[in-house]
Amino acid sequence: MTAHTTQTELKLIGKLILEGELHCETGLHIGAGKGSLEIGGSDNPVVKDAQGRPYIPGSSLRGKIRSLLEQFSGAAVPAELVYLSRRKGQEVRIHQSDQPNDEICLLFGRNAGRLERVVGEPLDTHHATPARLAVFDAPLEIESISASMRENLDDELTEVKNENAIDRITSQANPRTLERVPAGARFRVRFIMDVLCDEDAPLFGQLVQGLRLLEDDALGGGGSRGSGRIRFANLKLTWRNRDFYSSGAAQKELLTAADLAALQNLVTESSMSFIKE
């Protein structure tokens, strides 16, 4: 836990900007919903931008990181979860607490108000806190889909994975198709964390931990069936303090062309002391 209290004063100290590449080790499926189904197309298309190019929504990446951090910290249990939606078949449950030093709520933000817990009495949250972390949509690097890869794709930029669901009584096969961005594709990722007080420093370590957890988990759908294995590479970490915004002072490059292990070592060894320089 951090040293935040209800009396902690929030005033922008600076911004940590983490940029890099997300490499698909296996095919990646982040669904667009069946509303975009075309004749002859996949049952489960991937989300695409206005130019028809697959991308990773920032909300998908941010939500997965939060989910993994909740599981890691033991907060993904009924007593720690509240309902964001109770629509049947579309329930959404996330962790939220009223503790001023709750790192997940500080990193991802928290609204004041009354929320129904999954188990127990409703939660009356009195401490609204701004989200420190912004995760941006990650565009596809088109050149990562090579000419040789395109020769074997079902579409210009995507593949179709055929799967079967087997009825356990009749052994009848029920085929389904899953559109995926192929293994070898790269996306450009960008994370920005606002540092609003000295006590925020440990929160960046939470982000790095979440990214490391994600590398050993899966992003998007079909993760238990082989999809969604990813890796982060060529990471660059930049610190921009108040003077950067007020007077055009130089930013400070803290790390370049790094992997997550190097990033975590920097965070651990420096104890984030550079935010006070």
Side-chain angles (χ1 to χ4, degrees):
M1 290 292 183
T2 68
H4 289 81
T5 70
T6 56
Q7 307 303 316
T8 300
E9 181 181 353
L10 302 184
K11 183 178 181 181
L12 182 69
I13 296 175
K15 292 176 180 280
L16 282 163
I17 301 172
L18 178 63
E19 300 171 294
E21 299 171 351
L22 183 151
H23 292 225
C24 295
E25 301 287 289
T26 63
L28 174 68
H29 173 83
I30 297 181
K34 295 187 179 181
S36 62
L37 181 63
E38 299 178 358
I39 296 175
S42 167
D43 296 336
N44 297 287
V46 298
V47 63
K48 298 181 177 75
D49 62 20
Q51 296 178 312
R53 299 174 177 178
Y55 73 100
I56 300 175
S59 57
S60 297
L61 193 51
R62 188 178 191 270
K64 183 64 178 184
I65 293 169
R66 177 171 184 159
S67 174
L68 291 170
L69 287 173
E70 289 175 354
Q71 293 174 22
F72 186 84
S73 66
V77 294
E80 295 287 337
L81 300 177
V82 299
Y83 284 103
L84 287 185
S85 169
R86 296 206 64 177
R87 184 179 301 175
K88 189 173 182 180
Q90 298 180 351
E91 293 89 353
V92 178
R93 291 161 284 220
I94 69 167
H95 164 72
Q96 186 156 311
S97 78
D98 203 32
Q99 300 299 317
N101 60 348
D102 186 309
E103 293 184 347
I104 292 174
C105 290
L106 290 167
L107 187 60
F108 294 96
R110 163 176 47 197
N111 294 323
R114 189 178 179 86
L115 293 168
E116 185 175 351
R117 292 184 191 270
V118 174
V119 172
E121 296 296 319
L123 172 68
D124 289 308
T125 307
H126 303 292
H127 307 297
T129 54
R132 271 61 165 183
L133 179 63
V135 183
F136 294 86
D137 291 349
L140 174 68
E141 292 189 342
I142 299 299
E143 64 274 13
S144 68
I145 310 294
S146 66
S148 60
M149 291 170 63
R150 291 176 192 243
E151 291 177 0
N152 299 303
L153 294 179
D154 299 277
D155 197 357
E156 183 183 3
L157 299 172
T158 61
E159 64 184 6
V160 173
K161 181 186 181 188
N162 295 297
E163 300 180 333
N164 276 313
I166 307 298
D167 185 277
R168 299 314 193 258
I169 305 298
T170 66
S171 297
Q172 179 179 348
N174 296 289
R176 61 192 177 198
T177 58
L178 192 72
E179 185 180 25
R180 307 193 306 180
V181 179
R186 298 191 307 271
F187 294 84
R188 295 295 305 174
V189 294
R190 181 178 173 89
F191 306 86
I192 296 182
M193 195 189 94
D194 291 346
V195 180
L196 302 179
C197 57
D198 291 338
E199 292 86 347
D200 278 351
L203 299 180
F204 189 73
Q206 285 284 307
L207 170 59
V208 177
Q209 179 177 288
L211 297 177
R212 298 209 74 174
L213 288 167
L214 181 53
E215 283 194 335
D216 283 338
D217 203 272
L219 180 63
S224 63
R225 305 191 303 276
S227 298
R229 183 183 171 197
I230 61 94
R231 172 176 58 88
F232 294 97
N234 293 323
L235 296 172
K236 175 183 176 183
L237 181 63
T238 304
W239 169 244
R240 294 176 177 173
N241 62 18
R242 288 172 58 87
D243 291 339
F244 175 88
Y245 299 99
S246 63
S247 60
Q251 64 184 15
K252 185 175 183 180
E253 291 190 1
L254 304 171
L255 201 64
T256 58
D259 60 9
L260 281 179
L263 179 61
Q264 194 165 51
N265 286 338
L266 171 69
V267 171
T268 301
E269 293 173 3
S270 69
S271 301
M272 303 296 289
S273 59
F274 49 80
I275 71 171
K276 299 179 181 179
E277 296 175 0

Coordinates of all heavy atoms in Angstrom, one line a residue, residues 179-261:
E179 N -11.7 -14.7 -36.2 CA -10.7 -13.9 -36.9 C -9.6 -13.5 -35.9 O -9.9 -13.1 -34.8 CB -11.4 -12.7 -37.5 CG -10.5 -11.9 -38.4 CD -11.2 -10.7 -39.0 OE1 -12.2 -10.2 -38.4 OE2 -10.7 -10.2 -40.0
R180 N -8.4 -13.5 -36.4 CA -7.3 -13.1 -35.5 C -6.2 -12.3 -36.3 O -6.0 -12.5 -37.5 CB -6.5 -14.4 -35.0 CG -7.4 -15.4 -34.2 CD -6.6 -16.4 -33.5 NE -5.6 -17.0 -34.2 CZ -4.7 -18.0 -33.7 NH1 -4.8 -18.3 -32.4 NH2 -3.8 -18.6 -34.5
V181 N -5.6 -11.4 -35.6 CA -4.3 -10.8 -36.1 C -3.3 -11.9 -36.0 O -3.1 -12.5 -34.9 CB -4.0 -9.5 -35.3 CG1 -2.7 -8.9 -35.9 CG2 -5.1 -8.5 -35.4
P182 N -2.5 -12.1 -37.0 CA -1.5 -13.3 -37.0 C -0.4 -13.1 -36.1 O 0.0 -11.9 -35.8 CB -1.1 -13.4 -38.4 CG -1.2 -12.0 -39.0 CD -2.4 -11.4 -38.3
A183 N 0.2 -14.2 -35.6 CA 1.5 -14.1 -34.9 C 2.5 -13.4 -35.7 O 2.6 -13.6 -36.9 CB 1.9 -15.6 -34.6
G184 N 3.3 -12.6 -35.1 CA 4.3 -11.8 -35.8 C 3.9 -10.4 -36.0 O 4.8 -9.5 -36.2
A185 N 2.7 -10.1 -35.8 CA 2.2 -8.7 -35.9 C 2.7 -7.9 -34.7 O 2.9 -8.4 -33.6 CB 0.7 -8.6 -36.0
R186 N 2.9 -6.5 -34.9 CA 3.3 -5.6 -33.9 C 2.3 -4.5 -33.8 O 1.8 -4.0 -34.8 CB 4.7 -5.1 -34.2 CG 5.8 -6.1 -34.2 CD 7.2 -5.4 -34.2 NE 7.3 -4.4 -35.2 CZ 7.7 -4.6 -36.5 NH1 8.1 -5.8 -36.8 NH2 7.8 -3.6 -37.4
F187 N 2.1 -4.0 -32.6 CA 1.3 -2.8 -32.3 C 2.1 -1.8 -31.5 O 3.0 -2.2 -30.7 CB 0.0 -3.2 -31.5 CG -0.9 -4.1 -32.2 CD1 -0.8 -5.5 -32.3 CD2 -2.0 -3.5 -32.9 CE1 -1.7 -6.3 -32.9 CE2 -2.9 -4.3 -33.5 CZ -2.8 -5.7 -33.6
R188 N 1.8 -0.5 -31.7 CA 2.5 0.5 -31.0 C 1.7 0.9 -29.7 O 0.5 1.3 -29.8 CB 2.7 1.8 -31.8 CG 3.6 1.6 -33.0 CD 5.0 1.4 -32.6 NE 5.5 2.4 -31.7 CZ 6.7 2.3 -31.2 NH1 7.5 1.3 -31.4 NH2 7.2 3.3 -30.4
V189 N 2.3 0.7 -28.5 CA 1.6 1.0 -27.3 C 2.1 2.3 -26.6 O 3.2 2.6 -26.8 CB 1.7 -0.2 -26.3 CG1 1.0 -1.4 -26.9 CG2 3.2 -0.5 -26.0
R190 N 1.2 2.9 -25.9 CA 1.6 4.1 -25.2 C 0.8 4.2 -23.9 O -0.5 4.1 -23.9 CB 1.3 5.4 -26.1 CG 1.6 6.7 -25.5 CD 1.3 7.8 -26.5 NE 1.4 9.2 -25.9 CZ 2.6 9.9 -26.0 NH1 3.7 9.3 -26.5 NH2 2.6 11.1 -25.4
F191 N 1.5 4.4 -22.8 CA 0.9 4.5 -21.5 C 1.4 5.9 -20.9 O 2.6 6.2 -21.0 CB 1.3 3.4 -20.5 CG 1.1 2.0 -21.1 CD1 2.0 1.4 -21.9 CD2 -0.1 1.3 -20.7 CE1 1.8 0.1 -22.3 CE2 -0.3 0.1 -21.2 CZ 0.7 -0.6 -22.0
I192 N 0.5 6.6 -20.3 CA 1.0 7.8 -19.6 C 0.4 7.8 -18.1 O -0.8 7.6 -17.9 CB 0.4 9.1 -20.3 CG1 1.1 9.2 -21.7 CG2 0.8 10.3 -19.4 CD1 0.6 10.5 -22.4
M193 N 1.3 7.9 -17.2 CA 0.9 8.0 -15.8 C 1.2 9.4 -15.2 O 2.3 9.8 -15.2 CB 1.7 6.9 -14.9 CG 1.0 6.7 -13.6 SD 1.9 5.7 -12.4 CE 2.8 6.9 -11.5
D194 N 0.1 10.0 -14.7 CA 0.3 11.3 -14.1 C 0.8 11.1 -12.6 O 0.3 10.2 -11.9 CB -1.1 12.0 -14.0 CG -1.6 12.5 -15.3 OD1 -0.8 12.5 -16.3 OD2 -2.7 12.9 -15.5
V195 N 1.8 11.8 -12.3 CA 2.3 11.8 -10.9 C 1.8 13.1 -10.2 O 2.2 14.2 -10.5 CB 3.8 11.7 -10.8 CG1 4.3 11.7 -9.4 CG2 4.3 10.5 -11.6
L196 N 0.8 12.9 -9.3 CA 0.1 14.0 -8.7 C 0.6 14.4 -7.3 O 0.2 15.4 -6.8 CB -1.4 13.8 -8.7 CG -2.1 13.5 -10.1 CD1 -3.5 13.2 -9.9 CD2 -1.8 14.6 -11.0
C197 N 1.5 13.5 -6.8 CA 2.1 13.7 -5.5 C 3.2 12.8 -5.3 O 3.3 11.8 -6.1 CB 1.0 13.6 -4.4 SG 0.2 11.9 -4.4
D198 N 4.1 13.0 -4.4 CA 5.2 12.1 -4.1 C 4.8 10.7 -3.8 O 5.4 9.7 -4.2 CB 6.1 12.6 -3.0 CG 6.8 13.9 -3.3 OD1 7.0 14.2 -4.6 OD2 7.2 14.6 -2.4
E199 N 3.6 10.6 -3.2 CA 3.1 9.2 -2.8 C 2.7 8.4 -4.0 O 2.5 7.2 -3.9 CB 1.9 9.4 -1.8 CG 2.3 9.9 -0.5 CD 2.3 11.5 -0.4 OE1 2.3 12.1 -1.5 OE2 2.3 12.0 0.7
D200 N 2.6 9.0 -5.2 CA 2.2 8.3 -6.4 C 3.3 7.4 -6.9 O 3.0 6.5 -7.8 CB 1.7 9.2 -7.5 CG 0.3 9.7 -7.3 OD1 -0.4 9.2 -6.4 OD2 -0.1 10.6 -8.0
A201 N 4.5 7.6 -6.5 CA 5.7 6.9 -7.1 C 5.5 5.4 -7.2 O 5.8 4.8 -8.3 CB 7.0 7.3 -6.4
P202 N 5.0 4.7 -6.1 CA 4.9 3.3 -6.2 C 3.9 2.8 -7.2 O 3.9 1.6 -7.6 CB 4.5 2.9 -4.8 CG 4.9 4.0 -3.9 CD 4.7 5.2 -4.8
L203 N 3.0 3.7 -7.7 CA 2.0 3.2 -8.6 C 2.5 2.8 -10.0 O 1.9 1.9 -10.6 CB 0.9 4.4 -8.8 CG 0.2 4.8 -7.6 CD1 -0.8 5.9 -7.9 CD2 -0.6 3.6 -6.9
F204 N 3.6 3.4 -10.4 CA 4.2 3.0 -11.7 C 4.7 1.5 -11.6 O 4.7 0.8 -12.6 CB 5.4 3.9 -12.1 CG 5.9 3.7 -13.4 CD1 5.1 4.0 -14.5 CD2 7.1 3.0 -13.7 CE1 5.5 3.8 -15.8 CE2 7.5 2.8 -14.9 CZ 6.8 3.2 -16.0
G205 N 5.2 1.1 -10.4 CA 5.6 -0.2 -10.2 C 4.4 -1.2 -10.4 O 4.6 -2.3 -10.9
Q206 N 3.2 -0.8 -10.0 CA 2.0 -1.6 -10.3 C 1.8 -1.8 -11.7 O 1.4 -2.9 -12.2 CB 0.8 -0.9 -9.6 CG 0.8 -1.0 -8.1 CD 0.3 -2.3 -7.7 OE1 -0.7 -2.9 -8.1 NE2 1.1 -3.0 -6.8
L207 N 2.0 -0.7 -12.5 CA 1.8 -0.8 -14.0 C 2.8 -1.8 -14.6 O 2.4 -2.7 -15.3 CB 2.0 0.5 -14.6 CG 2.0 0.5 -16.2 CD1 0.8 -0.1 -16.8 CD2 2.3 1.9 -16.7
V208 N 4.0 -1.7 -14.2 CA 5.1 -2.6 -14.7 C 4.7 -4.1 -14.3 O 4.9 -5.0 -15.1 CB 6.5 -2.2 -14.2 CG1 7.5 -3.2 -14.7 CG2 6.8 -0.8 -14.7
Q209 N 4.3 -4.3 -13.1 CA 3.9 -5.6 -12.6 C 2.8 -6.1 -13.4 O 2.8 -7.3 -13.8 CB 3.5 -5.5 -11.1 CG 3.1 -6.8 -10.5 CD 2.7 -6.7 -9.1 OE1 3.6 -6.5 -8.2 NE2 1.5 -6.7 -8.7
G210 N 1.8 -5.3 -13.8 CA 0.6 -5.7 -14.6 C 1.1 -6.1 -16.0 O 0.5 -7.1 -16.5
L211 N 2.0 -5.4 -16.5 CA 2.5 -5.7 -17.9 C 3.3 -7.1 -17.9 O 3.1 -7.9 -18.8 CB 3.5 -4.6 -18.4 CG 2.8 -3.3 -18.6 CD1 3.9 -2.3 -19.1 CD2 1.7 -3.3 -19.6
R212 N 4.0 -7.3 -16.8 CA 4.7 -8.6 -16.7 C 3.7 -9.8 -16.5 O 3.9 -10.9 -17.1 CB 5.7 -8.6 -15.6 CG 6.8 -7.6 -15.7 CD 8.1 -8.0 -15.0 NE 8.8 -9.0 -15.8 CZ 10.0 -9.5 -15.4 NH1 10.6 -9.0 -14.4 NH2 10.6 -10.4 -16.2
L213 N 2.7 -9.5 -15.8 CA 1.6 -10.6 -15.6 C 1.0 -10.8 -16.9 O 0.7 -12.0 -17.3 CB 0.6 -10.1 -14.6 CG 1.0 -10.1 -13.1 CD1 0.0 -9.3 -12.3 CD2 1.2 -11.5 -12.6
L214 N 0.8 -9.8 -17.7 CA 0.1 -10.0 -19.0 C 0.9 -10.8 -20.0 O 0.4 -11.6 -20.8 CB -0.2 -8.6 -19.6 CG -0.9 -8.6 -21.0 CD1 -2.2 -9.4 -20.9 CD2 -1.2 -7.1 -21.4
E215 N 2.2 -10.7 -19.9 CA 3.1 -11.5 -20.8 C 2.9 -13.0 -20.5 O 3.2 -13.8 -21.4 CB 4.6 -11.1 -20.7 CG 4.9 -9.8 -21.4 CD 6.4 -9.6 -21.5 OE1 7.2 -10.2 -20.6 OE2 6.9 -8.9 -22.4
D216 N 2.5 -13.3 -19.3 CA 2.3 -14.8 -19.0 C 0.9 -15.1 -18.9 O 0.5 -16.1 -18.3 CB 3.1 -15.1 -17.7 CG 4.6 -15.3 -17.9 OD1 5.0 -15.5 -19.0 OD2 5.3 -15.1 -16.9
D217 N 0.0 -14.3 -19.5 CA -1.4 -14.5 -19.5 C -1.8 -14.5 -21.0 O -1.1 -14.9 -21.8 CB -2.1 -13.5 -18.6 CG -3.5 -14.0 -18.2 OD1 -4.5 -13.8 -18.9 OD2 -3.6 -14.7 -17.1
A218 N -3.0 -13.9 -21.2 CA -3.5 -13.7 -22.6 C -4.3 -12.5 -22.7 O -5.0 -12.1 -21.8 CB -4.3 -15.0 -23.0
L219 N -4.2 -11.8 -23.9 CA -4.9 -10.6 -24.2 C -6.0 -11.0 -25.2 O -5.8 -11.7 -26.2 CB -4.0 -9.6 -24.8 CG -4.6 -8.2 -25.1 CD1 -5.2 -7.5 -23.9 CD2 -3.6 -7.3 -25.8
G220 N -7.2 -10.5 -24.9 CA -8.3 -10.7 -25.9 C -9.0 -12.1 -25.6 O -8.8 -12.7 -24.6
G221 N -9.7 -12.5 -26.6 CA -10.5 -13.7 -26.5 C -9.7 -15.0 -26.9 O -8.7 -14.9 -27.6
G222 N -10.2 -16.1 -26.5 CA -9.6 -17.4 -26.9 C -8.3 -17.7 -26.2 O -7.5 -18.5 -26.7
G223 N -8.0 -17.0 -25.1 CA -6.7 -17.2 -24.5 C -6.5 -18.6 -24.0 O -5.4 -19.2 -24.1
S224 N -7.5 -19.3 -23.5 CA -7.3 -20.7 -23.0 C -7.2 -21.7 -24.2 O -6.9 -22.8 -24.0 CB -8.5 -21.1 -22.1 OG -9.7 -21.1 -22.9
R225 N -7.5 -21.2 -25.4 CA -7.4 -22.0 -26.6 C -6.2 -21.6 -27.5 O -6.2 -21.9 -28.7 CB -8.7 -22.0 -27.4 CG -9.9 -22.3 -26.5 CD -11.2 -22.5 -27.4 NE -11.5 -21.4 -28.2 CZ -12.2 -20.3 -27.8 NH1 -12.6 -20.3 -26.5 NH2 -12.5 -19.3 -28.6
G226 N -5.3 -20.9 -27.0 CA -4.0 -20.6 -27.7 C -3.9 -19.2 -28.2 O -2.8 -18.8 -28.7
S227 N -4.9 -18.4 -28.2 CA -4.8 -17.0 -28.7 C -4.3 -16.1 -27.7 O -4.3 -16.3 -26.5 CB -6.2 -16.5 -29.2 OG -6.6 -17.3 -30.3
G228 N -3.8 -14.9 -28.1 CA -3.5 -13.8 -27.2 C -2.3 -13.8 -26.4 O -2.1 -12.9 -25.5
R229 N -1.3 -14.6 -26.8 CA 0.0 -14.5 -26.1 C 0.8 -13.4 -26.7 O 1.0 -13.3 -27.9 CB 0.8 -15.8 -26.3 CG 2.1 -15.8 -25.5 CD 2.9 -17.1 -25.7 NE 4.2 -17.0 -25.2 CZ 5.2 -17.8 -25.5 NH1 5.0 -18.8 -26.3 NH2 6.4 -17.7 -24.9
I230 N 1.3 -12.5 -25.9 CA 1.9 -11.3 -26.3 C 3.3 -11.0 -25.6 O 3.5 -11.6 -24.6 CB 1.0 -10.0 -26.2 CG1 0.6 -9.7 -24.8 CG2 -0.2 -10.2 -27.1 CD1 1.5 -8.8 -24.1
R231 N 4.1 -10.1 -26.1 CA 5.3 -9.7 -25.5 C 5.6 -8.3 -25.8 O 5.3 -7.8 -26.9 CB 6.5 -10.6 -26.1 CG 7.9 -10.2 -25.7 CD 8.9 -11.2 -26.3 NE 8.8 -11.3 -27.7 CZ 9.5 -10.4 -28.5 NH1 10.3 -9.5 -28.0 NH2 9.4 -10.6 -29.8
F232 N 6.1 -7.6 -24.8 CA 6.5 -6.2 -24.9 C 8.0 -6.0 -25.3 O 8.8 -6.8 -24.7 CB 6.2 -5.4 -23.7 CG 4.7 -5.3 -23.4 CD1 4.1 -6.1 -22.5 CD2 3.9 -4.3 -24.0 CE1 2.7 -6.1 -22.2 CE2 2.5 -4.3 -23.7 CZ 2.0 -5.1 -22.8
A233 N 8.3 -5.1 -26.2 CA 9.7 -4.9 -26.6 C 10.0 -3.5 -26.9 O 9.0 -2.7 -27.1 CB 10.0 -5.8 -27.8
N234 N 11.2 -3.1 -27.1 CA 11.7 -1.8 -27.5 C 11.0 -0.7 -26.7 O 10.5 0.3 -27.2 CB 11.4 -1.6 -29.0 CG 12.3 -2.4 -29.8 OD1 13.5 -2.7 -29.5 ND2 11.8 -3.0 -30.9
L235 N 11.0 -0.9 -25.4 CA 10.3 0.1 -24.5 C 11.1 1.3 -24.2 O 12.4 1.2 -24.1 CB 9.9 -0.6 -23.2 CG 9.0 -1.7 -23.2 CD1 8.9 -2.4 -21.9 CD2 7.6 -1.3 -23.7
K236 N 10.5 2.5 -24.2 CA 11.1 3.7 -23.9 C 10.3 4.4 -22.8 O 9.1 4.6 -22.9 CB 11.1 4.6 -25.2 CG 11.7 6.0 -24.9 CD 11.6 6.8 -26.2 CE 12.1 8.3 -26.0 NZ 11.9 9.1 -27.3
L237 N 11.1 4.8 -21.8 CA 10.4 5.5 -20.6 C 11.0 6.9 -20.5 O 12.2 7.2 -20.5 CB 10.7 4.8 -19.3 CG 10.1 5.4 -18.0 CD1 8.6 5.4 -18.1 CD2 10.6 4.6 -16.8
T238 N 10.1 7.9 -20.5 CA 10.4 9.3 -20.5 C 9.7 10.0 -19.3 O 8.6 9.7 -19.0 CB 10.0 10.0 -21.8 OG1 10.5 9.3 -22.9 CG2 10.4 11.5 -21.8
W239 N 10.5 10.9 -18.6 CA 9.9 11.7 -17.5 C 9.8 13.2 -18.0 O 10.8 13.7 -18.4 CB 10.8 11.6 -16.3 CG 10.5 12.5 -15.2 CD1 11.3 13.5 -14.7 CD2 9.3 12.6 -14.4 NE1 10.7 14.2 -13.7 CE2 9.5 13.6 -13.5 CE3 8.1 11.9 -14.4 CZ2 8.5 14.0 -12.5 CZ3 7.1 12.2 -13.5 CH2 7.3 13.2 -12.6
R240 N 8.6 13.7 -17.8 CA 8.4 15.1 -18.1 C 7.9 15.8 -16.9 O 6.8 15.5 -16.4 CB 7.4 15.3 -19.3 CG 7.9 14.8 -20.6 CD 6.8 14.8 -21.7 NE 7.4 14.4 -23.0 CZ 6.6 14.2 -24.1 NH1 5.3 14.4 -24.1 NH2 7.2 13.8 -25.2
N241 N 8.7 16.7 -16.3 CA 8.3 17.4 -15.1 C 7.5 18.6 -15.4 O 7.2 19.0 -16.5 CB 9.5 17.6 -14.2 CG 10.5 18.6 -14.8 OD1 10.1 19.3 -15.8 ND2 11.7 18.6 -14.3
R242 N 7.1 19.3 -14.3 CA 6.3 20.5 -14.5 C 7.0 21.6 -15.4 O 6.3 22.2 -16.2 CB 6.1 21.2 -13.1 CG 5.1 20.4 -12.2 CD 5.0 21.0 -10.8 NE 4.6 22.4 -10.8 CZ 3.4 22.8 -10.8 NH1 2.4 21.9 -10.8 NH2 3.1 24.0 -10.8
D243 N 8.3 21.7 -15.3 CA 9.0 22.7 -16.1 C 8.9 22.4 -17.6 O 8.9 23.3 -18.4 CB 10.5 22.8 -15.7 CG 10.6 23.3 -14.3 OD1 9.7 24.0 -13.8 OD2 11.7 23.1 -13.7
F244 N 8.7 21.1 -18.0 CA 8.6 20.8 -19.4 C 7.3 21.5 -19.9 O 7.3 21.9 -21.1 CB 8.5 19.3 -19.5 CG 8.2 18.8 -20.9 CD1 9.2 18.5 -21.8 CD2 6.9 18.6 -21.3 CE1 8.9 18.1 -23.1 CE2 6.6 18.2 -22.6 CZ 7.6 17.9 -23.5
Y245 N 6.3 21.5 -19.1 CA 5.0 22.1 -19.6 C 4.9 23.6 -19.4 O 4.3 24.3 -20.2 CB 3.8 21.4 -18.9 CG 3.8 19.9 -19.2 CD1 4.3 19.0 -18.3 CD2 3.3 19.4 -20.4 CE1 4.3 17.6 -18.6 CE2 3.2 18.1 -20.7 CZ 3.8 17.2 -19.8 OH 3.7 15.8 -20.0
S246 N 5.6 24.1 -18.4 CA 5.5 25.5 -18.1 C 6.5 26.4 -18.8 O 6.2 27.5 -19.2 CB 5.6 25.8 -16.6 OG 6.9 25.4 -16.1
S247 N 7.7 25.8 -19.0 CA 8.8 26.7 -19.6 C 9.5 26.0 -20.7 O 10.5 26.5 -21.2 CB 9.8 27.1 -18.5 OG 10.4 26.0 -17.9
G248 N 9.1 24.8 -21.1 CA 9.8 24.1 -22.2 C 11.1 23.4 -21.9 O 11.9 23.2 -22.7
A249 N 11.3 23.1 -20.6 CA 12.5 22.4 -20.2 C 12.6 21.1 -20.8 O 11.6 20.5 -21.3 CB 12.5 22.3 -18.7
A250 N 13.8 20.5 -20.9 CA 14.0 19.2 -21.6 C 13.4 18.1 -20.8 O 13.4 18.1 -19.6 CB 15.5 19.0 -21.8
Q251 N 12.9 17.1 -21.5 CA 12.4 15.9 -20.9 C 13.6 15.0 -20.6 O 14.7 15.3 -21.0 CB 11.5 15.2 -21.8 CG 12.1 14.7 -23.1 CD 11.1 14.0 -24.0 OE1 9.9 14.1 -23.9 NE2 11.6 13.3 -25.0
K252 N 13.4 14.0 -19.7 CA 14.5 13.1 -19.3 C 14.2 11.7 -19.8 O 13.2 11.1 -19.4 CB 14.6 13.2 -17.8 CG 15.8 12.3 -17.3 CD 16.0 12.5 -15.8 CE 17.2 11.8 -15.3 NZ 17.4 11.9 -13.8
E253 N 15.0 11.2 -20.6 CA 14.9 9.8 -21.1 C 15.5 8.9 -20.1 O 16.7 8.9 -19.8 CB 15.5 9.6 -22.5 CG 14.7 10.3 -23.6 CD 15.2 9.9 -25.0 OE1 16.1 9.1 -25.1 OE2 14.7 10.5 -26.0
L254 N 14.7 8.0 -19.5 CA 15.2 7.1 -18.4 C 15.6 5.8 -18.9 O 16.4 5.1 -18.3 CB 14.0 7.0 -17.4 CG 13.5 8.3 -16.8 CD1 12.3 8.0 -16.0 CD2 14.6 9.0 -16.0
L255 N 15.0 5.3 -20.1 CA 15.3 4.0 -20.6 C 14.9 4.0 -22.0 O 13.9 4.5 -22.4 CB 14.4 3.0 -19.8 CG 14.9 1.5 -19.8 CD1 16.2 1.4 -19.1 CD2 13.8 0.7 -19.1
T256 N 15.7 3.3 -22.8 CA 15.3 3.1 -24.3 C 15.7 1.7 -24.7 O 16.5 1.0 -24.1 CB 16.2 4.1 -25.2 OG1 17.6 3.9 -25.0 CG2 15.8 5.5 -24.8
A257 N 14.9 1.2 -25.7 CA 15.1 -0.1 -26.3 C 15.2 -1.2 -25.3 O 16.1 -2.0 -25.4 CB 16.4 -0.1 -27.2
A258 N 14.3 -1.2 -24.3 CA 14.4 -2.1 -23.2 C 13.2 -3.1 -23.2 O 12.2 -2.9 -23.9 CB 14.3 -1.3 -21.9
D259 N 13.4 -4.2 -22.5 CA 12.3 -5.1 -22.2 C 11.7 -4.9 -20.8 O 12.2 -4.0 -20.1 CB 12.8 -6.6 -22.4 CG 13.9 -7.0 -21.4 OD1 14.2 -6.2 -20.5 OD2 14.5 -8.0 -21.6
L260 N 10.8 -5.7 -20.5 CA 10.1 -5.4 -19.2 C 11.0 -5.7 -18.0 O 10.9 -5.0 -16.9 CB 8.8 -6.3 -19.1 CG 7.6 -5.8 -19.8 CD1 6.5 -6.7 -19.6 CD2 7.2 -4.4 -19.3
A261 N 11.9 -6.7 -18.1 CA 12.9 -7.0 -17.0 C 13.8 -5.7 -16.7 O 14.0 -5.4 -15.6 CB 13.7 -8.2 -17.4

